[in-house]
């Protein structure tokens, strides 16, 4: 791994990938687009076409594109409750127990974060919290099957009180839907599962069709076509975000175990070749030990080639003067995940300003957050942790301010409001206040 020294060299160490950069698509994907839509159609145009046609034609367009892109004839989109139950019964007892434990911890965490209504009768003010009516989740199909993501998106919505939660996930030819994903949906209490994917699925949830009702918000990961479609429908519906490649910074001092640091970096790097794993430390000895551990572990890892590729492309080790400098660098980068493997990690938590998720201590690795710790693993990437937060119940709720002034409070505030209305030139506004002040004066 490339080793850089100090803040000056480390600036820009986290490569920023544009999750919507269609120009970076491989030629094989472009060729498939041309075959499906015509020689003159770009990937962006194909996305716009699918969105437009699903909006205008509904289910017919979904069936046409599912056949064209996934090779599947779908007389029925919805998976029956019996099929979901059967999928759940087909997984191992051990996996079911693991998913149930994860679901409980996710539920407990999000219940603890629920906002509450409040009212101050004396001030005549309050705020009411209301859940969204309907949320649509997207789960990738094929080899990229993540039951954990179903739990991490559906359960916060359920805890928030969302009335209806649906899930779309694609079939791949003759392959059945992934049973673990279906089991997770069943455990999380998803109301309906539809075996459609890609851009048509995003369009169906955004606009509604004969079979699929329009949702208020779309959540979940997907490929660049799905991400681009989510961006285009934003405004018609809310979205959870546009996410780039996953990223982790590990801050470690000389008390950290090199094997833990290396294992956590590899766990991040094995996601895909664009993943980023960075070690920031004030210990030269730890750097030497981590490099040895990385080589040892990569040589036996099932996805070792992919992890090695990611580490060689984006992986870095940064040597800093002290941990204050390490935290300053992390705050500048604003990573998706920040892991603190240092002595007394809780003393550093207050200094961290920008991170999607904070993992304190060597027995709080980010991988536990991926599956079972409790918070959602859907976290902001690409530096957007400066202004975004991890998915939570708050993303599935709206707040309504309430104003209920008493006549006395209105009298106390009215003249000040009239002055502001006058300076803004809105005499109708001031008149609506003055007529009430005069009424109160007449009663006195």
């Amino acid at each position: 791994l490339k080793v850089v020294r100090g803040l000056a060299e480390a600036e820009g160490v986290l490569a920023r990938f544009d999750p919507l950069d269609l120009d970076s698509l491989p030629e094989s994907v472009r060729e498939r687009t041309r075959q499906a839509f015509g020689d003159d159609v770009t990937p962006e145009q194909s996305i716009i076409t699918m969105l437009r046609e699903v909006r205008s034609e509904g289910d017919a367009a979904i069936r046409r594109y599912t056949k064209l892109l996934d090779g599947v004839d779908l007389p029925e989109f919805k998976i029956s409750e019996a099929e979901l139950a059967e999928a759940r019964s087909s997984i191992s007892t051990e996996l079911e127990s693991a998913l149930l434990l994860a679901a409980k911890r996710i539920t407990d965490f999000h219940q603890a974060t629920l906002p509450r209504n409040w009212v101050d009768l004396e001030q005549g003010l309050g705020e009411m919290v209301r859940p969204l009516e309907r949320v649509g989740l997207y789960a990738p199909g094929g080899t990229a099957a993540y039951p954990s993501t179903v739990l991490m998106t559906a359960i916060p919505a359920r805890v928030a009180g969302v009335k209806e939660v649906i899930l779309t996930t694609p079939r791949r030819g003759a392959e059945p839907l992934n049973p673990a994903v279906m089991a997770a949906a069943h455990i999380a209490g998803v109301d309906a599962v539809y075996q459609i994917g890609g851009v048509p699925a995003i369009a169906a949830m955004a606009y509604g069709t004969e079979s699929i009702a329009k949702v208020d918000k779309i959540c979940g990961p997907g490929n660049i076509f799905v991400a681009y479609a989510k961006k285009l429908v934003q405004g018609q519906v809310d979205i959870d975000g546009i996410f780039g490649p996953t990223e982790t910074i590990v801050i470690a001092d000389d008390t950290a175990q090199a094997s833990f640091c290396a294992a956590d970096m590899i766990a991040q790097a094995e996601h895909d070749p664009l993943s980023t794993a960075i070690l920031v430390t004030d210990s030269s000895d730890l750097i030497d030990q981590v490099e040895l551990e990385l080589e040892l572990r990569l040589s036996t890892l099932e996805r070792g080639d992919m992890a090695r590729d990611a580490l060689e492309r984006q992986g870095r080790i940064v040597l800093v003067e002290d941990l204050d400098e390490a935290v300053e660098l992390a705050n500048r980068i604003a990573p998706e995940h920040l892991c603190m493997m240092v002595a007394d990690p809780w003393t550093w938590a207050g200094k961290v300003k920008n991170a999607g998720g904070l993992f304190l201590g060597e027995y709080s690795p980010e991988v536990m957050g991926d599956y079972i710790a409790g918070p959602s693993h859907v976290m902001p990437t690409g530096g957007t942790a400066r202004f975004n937060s991890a998915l939570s119940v708050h993303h599935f709720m709206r707040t309504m301010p309430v104003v209920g002034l008493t006549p006395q409070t209105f009298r106390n505030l009215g003249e000040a409001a009239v002055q502001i209305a006058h300076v803004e030139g809105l005499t109708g506004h001031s008149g609506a206040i003055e007529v009430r002040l005069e009424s109160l004066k007449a009663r006195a």
Side-chain angles (χ1 to χ4, degrees):
L1 288 179
K2 180 179 180 181
V3 178
V4 297
R5 298 174 183 274
L7 288 180
E9 282 191 49
E11 282 294 341
V13 70
L14 182 54
R16 301 298 187 199
F17 295 98
D18 181 358
L20 300 179
D21 183 12
L22 294 172
D23 292 334
S24 66
L25 286 171
E27 179 55 32
S28 60
V29 176
R30 293 178 172 276
E31 176 59 26
R32 189 180 178 203
T33 299
R34 289 191 290 267
Q35 291 175 358
F37 294 92
D39 290 340
D40 297 330
V41 177
T42 66
E44 181 180 14
Q45 291 169 334
S46 74
I47 295 169
I48 294 171
T49 297
M50 285 186 278
L51 290 175
R52 184 177 63 245
E53 293 186 2
V54 171
R55 186 175 193 177
S56 62
E57 301 175 34
D59 288 352
I62 294 177
R63 288 191 175 91
R64 183 167 66 252
Y65 285 119
T66 301
K67 175 66 174 177
L68 178 66
L69 301 176
D70 298 330
V72 181
D73 285 310
L74 285 181
E76 188 69 35
F77 300 153
K78 189 176 180 180
I79 302 297
S80 69
E81 179 65 25
E83 289 174 297
L84 289 175
E86 182 180 354
R88 180 171 176 176
S89 67
S90 73
I91 64 174
S92 69
T93 302
E94 293 79 8
L95 177 56
E96 183 182 32
S97 297
L99 291 173
L100 287 168
L101 177 58
K104 183 180 185 307
R105 288 191 60 95
I106 297 165
T107 300
D108 290 347
F109 172 84
H110 287 93
Q111 284 179 338
T113 68
L114 279 169
R116 299 286 188 262
N117 297 334
W118 65 271
V119 175
D120 184 332
L121 294 176
E122 183 177 347
Q123 293 290 328
L125 295 174
E127 186 175 64
M128 293 185 178
V129 183
R130 295 290 183 266
L132 302 181
E133 283 289 314
R134 186 179 294 112
V135 167
L137 311 178
Y138 185 86
T143 58
Y146 300 113
S148 59
T149 298
V150 176
L151 298 180
M152 296 284 183
T153 51
I155 292 175
R158 274 291 179 225
V159 172
V162 174
K163 184 177 180 181
E164 184 178 357
V165 179
I166 70 169
L167 171 70
T168 62
T169 188
R171 288 278 299 274
R172 294 301 183 206
E175 296 179 17
L177 291 175
N178 186 283
V181 169
M182 297 300 96
H186 196 261
I187 288 169
V190 171
D191 293 291
V193 178
Y194 299 95
Q195 51 185 335
I196 61 173
V199 176
I202 301 302
M205 292 189 285
Y207 304 126
T209 72
E210 301 92 323
S211 299
I212 301 172
K214 172 182 168 65
V215 303
D216 299 311
K217 184 165 191 157
I218 298 173
C219 298
N223 62 22
I224 190 171
F225 286 87
V226 168
Y228 204 94
K230 286 171 66 178
K231 180 66 174 177
L232 290 177
V233 300
Q234 188 176 22
Q236 293 287 330
V237 292
D238 191 21
I239 62 173
D240 54 349
I242 305 296
F243 304 108
T246 188
E247 59 208 31
T248 286
I249 290 180
V250 177
I251 293 179
D253 61 14
D254 57 5
T255 68
Q257 294 195 46
S259 59
F260 290 4
C261 295
D264 289 354
M265 294 177 74
I266 289 172
Q268 193 67 32
E270 74 170 345
H271 275 286
D272 65 64
L274 297 182
S275 301
T276 298
I278 299 171
L279 172 67
V280 183
T281 182
D282 58 355
S283 171
S284 296
D285 290 342
L286 181 65
I287 291 176
D288 294 337
Q289 297 168 30
V290 168
E291 288 183 324
L292 289 174
E293 285 286 344
L294 284 171
E295 190 56 45
L296 178 65
R297 291 176 176 276
L298 286 170
S299 63
T300 59
L301 189 70
E302 184 176 342
R303 294 166 66 95
D305 290 342
M306 182 178 293
R308 185 184 299 275
D309 187 21
L311 289 169
E312 289 176 350
R313 290 175 56 153
Q314 288 89 233
R316 294 290 187 275
I317 295 176
V318 182
L319 180 63
V320 292
E321 288 293 326
D322 52 39
L323 293 183
D324 283 305
E325 193 172 85
V327 173
E328 182 181 349
L329 176 61
N331 282 330
R332 292 185 187 182
I333 293 174
E336 180 186 9
H337 311 114
L338 177 59
C339 306
M340 301 289 296
M341 285 201 275
V342 298
D344 199 6
W346 283 97
T347 63
W348 293 93
K351 296 185 178 183
V352 176
K353 298 177 182 178
N354 301 322
L358 181 59
F359 301 84
L360 298 173
E362 54 188 14
Y363 289 98
S364 302
E366 184 268 320
V367 291
M368 293 299 283
D370 281 342
Y371 300 121
I372 206 164
S376 175
H377 68 204
V378 179
M379 295 181 177
T381 62
T384 60
R386 291 178 294 108
F387 49 81
N388 278 338
S389 304
L391 191 73
S392 70
V393 292
H394 301 86
H395 290 82
F396 300 105
M397 308 182 99
R398 299 168 292 108
T399 59
M400 293 187 299
V402 178
V403 178
L405 304 178
T406 65
Q408 183 59 49
T409 303
F410 178 85
R411 181 185 290 113
N412 295 341
L413 300 175
E415 287 297 341
V418 167
Q419 291 299 317
I420 298 171
H422 281 165
V423 79
E424 293 185 353
L426 298 173
T427 55
H429 282 60
S430 62
I433 300 169
E434 288 167 333
V435 70
R436 288 173 169 82
L437 289 174
E438 291 169 1
S439 175
L440 290 172
K441 187 176 181 180
R443 293 185 205 171

